[in-house]
Amino acid sequence: MIEFEHVSKHYGNTVALDDVSFTVPDGTVSVLIGPSGCGKSTSLRLVNRLLEPNDGYVRVDGTPVREFPPQILRRGIGYVIQSVGLLPHMTVEENIGLVPKLLGCDKRDRSRRAGELLELIGLSPDEYRNKYPIQLSGGEAQRVGVARALAANPPILLMDEPFGAVDPLNRETLQQEFISIQRKLRKTVIFVTHDLDEAVRVADRIVLMRDGNVVQTGAPEEILGAPANDFVREFVGSDRALKRLARFIVGDFMIDAPSVDRGAHLDWNRYRDFEVVYVTDDHRHLLGAVPRDGRAAMSSAEDAMDDALVGAVSFGSTLRDALAEILNTELAETPVVDEHGHLVGRITMAEIYSATPRRIV
Amino acid sequence: MIDRERSVVDKVTLSGALVGGGGLFLPVFIVKEHRLDAGFPVSFAGMSLPLFFLALAFVVAIAIVGVLPGLRRRSRNLPAVLAALCLFALLWAGTGIGGAAELAEYEFERGRVSPSSGFWIVLLAILIIVTHSMKQSTSVWLRGCVPLAFVATLIALFVVGVIDDVAFVREYYTREDRFVRELTAHIGIAAGAVGAAVAVGVPTGILAYRIRSLERPLFAVVNGVQTIPSLALFGLMIAPLALISQRFPILRELGVRGVGNTPALLALFLYALLPIVRNTYTSLAVMDPAVIHAGTGMGMTRRQLMWQVEVPISLPIILAGVRVSMVQTIGNTTVAALIGAGGLGNFVFQGLGQAAPDLIVMGVIPIVILALLADRVFQLISEWAVPGPKRGAV
């Protein structure tokens, strides 16, 4: 657990942090976000003592960090920065093994650990172990930066705009990978970003800051659903309801989908309450959809269906994706499939609405 | 489509071979009865037909390597260099042995042979072929060892005694003791000046980087020194040092005088500074601050940052500066002989004064060899000190 307790920091007359208090519970990701100059990076660097507060305490598991010698403290805290900072004269393996080496691990352990971590971040150890940083792409270098931070298995991870320098496409992949790694490792993470979509995606809690003050803290859906004041409302944007949908998983909201086997005759009388009926094969693979006003007179469901109508979402994706898919098709709903393409349910606008607080100002 | 890599004719190698072939038909050396004798020229063919055809065979071999279709550019390098090395050995051995035979025939007991136009042209051709091949080559091994192989060949021929009758070797034998003394002095002066320049230049470079207000004045000084012609700088040293040595007798007893080694060392030291200061400064300026930030953030101590991050990253660039400095200083030390310092320059200026080209050549050859050796040694150290993907491995 990381606690900020009435922390202030100023440079001359400029106030960087003004009596800031918040808590990062164990095993969760807290995202510090806010406009530039709000004090988010300053807060992060107080934790590993790259900066010292003028007032107040930063505690790790109850102990003020100033009671640890800085080097000892830092070796126990993973640190990822936007510019990565891989040492150019060392191989990927040596870079990953840096903190373990500082801690006195022998070479064999370091090499084994580097292999594990390369595996974890999705780079083949045999291929990447002996490469030099100059031979890596931006995304690969950033992955190695994350691996290096994890090498000594620290309970705490500080990430300072870690994916800020990566192109948007790669950034989303890296965010997804980070989320799945975090699900396995359950580190206590402080993550600084200025990208709200990124914050909504990776955060358990968001700490929204402005001019050295904490404006609002809470789960992303709380902040998006109930902004505390005009600043927050403006910061999260008029599309906050849309962003909020990204916090909800399709699998938690889907409802049963009507389906017929492709060989069977489609009798609309049996599906009086539905606008669309889905067509599957013997193994419940989704093949297509038949809308109510379609070619109902055809002999079999397969002849009547229109496979162009169906673009499904997976049950692990978000309601935001589902909404986008609904808008993409001519139907007012979208089917949901599992990882094998089996039809498992559907999402209609009613489910989208149900996730949205209807009475927010 | 024709594979360009394969089918291209190597024009440089081919023209090198043509130049070399032409040179073989010119007089290769001049037989002289004594040092000042005008002598008479002897060509390769006139000396020994079999040797002439052997040399021609090597030239033709090089030409074939240059034009052979279907040969990769890279695979031309080694055969071309090997043939050039054989031609080089043959040229020197032929001059030595053939020259001795001619001398014996004319009963010139104190006679000598001076290399002539053909000799120098073939040497030029070898230079063209070898430098071209080395530029094409990506192998560190080849680029590092080829110049050493040529130097070793020449030294081996000299040690065995094959080229004893070549004029400048004669000049060497009449001055053997002095040669060793001047060679040692040359190396000592150059190494001393560069050593001092490293000791002063590296901290100066760090200072120029750390204290921004010092950057401009410091570089103004070290750049300014470079613009003074070397001869003028040596001259400029004389007056102030003479004055100082007169004022302070203690210094005079330590050897500080207007002429001699002290002003030479001082001037050479000033010249050697620039590449070292500049490269030290650059090595720090180009260092990614994120690297230091990341190192600190991971818990490196100040000392670990210095030895595991800053030094390894900047060392190759600083070494490159020392290399330039060393090669340049070995050359400049020659001029230092003019103000009474020791060194191989003494033979060069003596030769100039006596209108004895053989003596000049005797002084110049070891200077060239020294510069070459220093260059290669530092290059190999640099390549070894640079971590990362080796050239051509990417």
Side-chain angles (χ1 to χ4, degrees), chain A residues 21-336:
Chain A
S21 299
F22 63 86
T23 302
V24 182
D26 276 339
T28 65
V29 180
S30 283
V31 172
L32 306 188
I33 191 170
S36 47
C38 70
K40 49 190 196 290
S41 285
T42 303
S43 305
L44 188 88
R45 289 173 194 188
L46 290 173
V47 179
N48 63 1
R49 291 191 65 187
L50 286 173
L51 296 172
E52 301 288 349
N54 295 95
D55 210 356
Y57 290 95
V58 177
R59 296 175 195 276
V60 169
D61 294 334
T63 315
V65 289
R66 72 167 62 144
E67 289 181 13
F68 300 98
Q71 277 82 28
I72 303 300
L73 179 77
R74 288 172 196 153
R75 288 169 198 172
I77 296 178
Y79 189 42
V80 185
I81 55 177
Q82 180 178 349
S83 39
V84 198
L86 294 180
L87 304 188
H89 59 296
M90 292 185 184
T91 60
V92 164
E93 175 173 312
E94 288 165 337
N95 264 291
I96 294 177
L98 214 63
V99 179
K101 191 179 172 192
L102 293 176
L103 292 169
C105 279
D106 67 38
K107 194 163 160 39
R108 238 197 21 239
D109 286 348
R110 296 203 304 266
S111 172
R112 191 174 42 79
R113 181 76 183 139
E116 286 169 20
L117 284 161
L118 282 170
E119 206 77 72
L120 180 73
I121 57 170
L123 298 178
S124 144
D126 292 336
E127 188 182 339
Y128 283 91
R129 195 186 281 279
N130 295 319
K131 282 198 176 187
Y132 282 88
I134 198 170
Q135 297 167 299
L136 302 177
S137 73
E140 289 166 350
Q142 199 50 269
R143 284 183 178 86
V144 173
V146 172
R148 182 175 65 177
L150 292 170
N153 203 11
I156 295 175
L157 212 53
L158 304 177
M159 307 179 82
D160 196 347
E161 307 206 16
F163 312 135
V166 184
D167 64 275
L169 210 68
N170 260 310
R171 191 182 310 157
E172 227 179 294
T173 318
L174 282 167
Q175 287 161 356
Q176 291 304 338
E177 286 172 10
F178 167 69
I179 292 167
S180 68
I181 289 173
Q182 169 64 4
R183 250 181 229 138
K184 276 182 235 161
L185 303 182
R186 289 280 157 213
K187 301 289 180 192
T188 306
V189 184
I190 298 187
F191 189 114
V192 166
T193 182
H194 58 255
D195 174 356
L196 188 64
D197 288 321
E198 181 168 82
V200 170
R201 219 168 271 143
V202 304
D204 293 309
R205 287 168 64 80
I206 285 180
V207 178
L208 183 55
M209 300 181 73
R210 179 202 194 184
D211 298 338
N213 291 292
V214 173
V215 186
Q216 188 176 2
T217 61
E221 47 273 35
E222 279 169 50
I223 292 199
L224 293 167
N229 58 30
D230 286 346
F231 167 73
V232 181
R233 196 168 296 119
E234 196 184 320
F235 185 81
V236 298
S238 49
D239 61 343
R240 61 179 186 274
L242 206 53
K243 286 181 175 130
R244 203 168 160 276
L245 288 178
R247 292 295 299 177
F248 302 110
I249 302 301
V250 162
D252 297 339
F253 286 82
M254 65 188 183
I255 54 174
D256 272 343
S259 66
V260 293
D261 192 80
R262 66 173 167 198
H265 177 73
L266 174 55
D267 176 10
W268 276 105
N269 291 327
R270 286 181 55 199
Y271 301 103
R272 207 162 296 169
D273 299 334
F274 300 103
E275 291 301 311
V276 181
V277 173
Y278 298 97
V279 182
T280 60
D281 67 7
D282 306 343
H283 305 288
R284 282 195 63 76
H285 282 117
L286 179 63
L287 299 173
V290 187
R292 175 175 286 281
D293 56 359
R295 290 157 284 183
M298 301 280 183
S299 56
S300 75
E302 192 168 17
D303 293 331
M305 79 174 184
D306 186 346
D307 55 6
L309 282 177
V310 178
V313 292
S314 96
F315 69 89
S317 56
T318 68
L319 284 189
R320 189 176 177 163
D321 302 325
L323 177 60
E325 197 51 57
I326 291 173
L327 298 177
N328 275 342
T329 69
E330 294 166 33
L331 310 173
E333 58 180 71
T334 179
V336 180

Side-chain angles (χ1 to χ4, degrees), chain B residues 155-226:
Chain B
I155 292 178
L157 288 172
F158 167 72
V159 169
V160 172
V162 172
I163 55 174
D164 278 357
D165 289 317
V166 179
F168 59 82
V169 181
R170 268 292 152 75
E171 298 284 354
Y172 163 78
Y173 277 119
T174 55
R175 299 174 174 73
E176 210 172 339
D177 290 345
R178 213 178 134 216
F179 179 86
V180 174
R181 212 165 53 235
E182 301 291 18
L183 180 68
T184 323
H186 200 103
I187 296 173
I189 291 170
V194 173
V198 170
V200 174
V202 172
T204 307
I206 295 173
L207 213 62
Y209 177 73
R210 290 269 159 86
I211 306 170
R212 284 301 156 105
S213 57
L214 282 179
E215 183 196 328
R216 279 170 161 278
L218 277 175
F219 274 98
V221 172
V222 290
N223 278 323
V225 170
Q226 291 282 320

